[in-house]
Amino acid sequence: MGTVVLSGTVVLVVLGFGNPLYWLVAVAVLFLYVRYGLDASSTSSSSPSAPGPAQGTGPAPTSYKAYRERRDTQAKWERRYRRERPLEYRRQERERSK
């Protein structure tokens, strides 16, 4: 994945000599890769077939305190979702009960 991103960035930089907008795109691609791509590639390449938490749920908590904080944060977001989108929440509850 890293080589594809770096190759694409080099191509965008070379194309940037004709249109500087490509330089901005190259910087954005590098930023997004450093911000999101490195974490995802390191966790997925370490053990792709190992059982664990569902995709996108984050790392497992290392202590009960971390678990409680994560659970409380999730409950807070769910309450906020219910409060801000009551119709959507009711629709989802009807679909779950079927």
Side-chain angles (χ1 to χ4, degrees), residues 8-79:
T9 304
V10 169
V11 168
L12 287 171
V13 167
V14 169
L15 290 174
F17 288 109
N19 185 356
L21 182 63
Y22 288 123
W23 285 344
L24 294 174
V25 174
V27 170
V29 166
L30 282 177
F31 172 77
L32 292 174
Y33 177 68
V34 168
R35 174 83 178 181
Y36 301 107
L38 291 178
D39 294 336
S41 64
S42 65
T43 57
S44 65
S45 64
S46 61
S47 58
S49 62
Q55 198 78 7
T57 59
T62 56
S63 68
Y64 182 69
K65 183 178 179 183
Y67 161 75
R68 266 195 347 237
E69 289 174 0
R70 187 166 175 210
R71 181 193 64 193
D72 293 345
T73 303
Q74 181 67 30
K76 180 182 81 169
W77 281 105
E78 288 174 1
R79 286 191 302 270

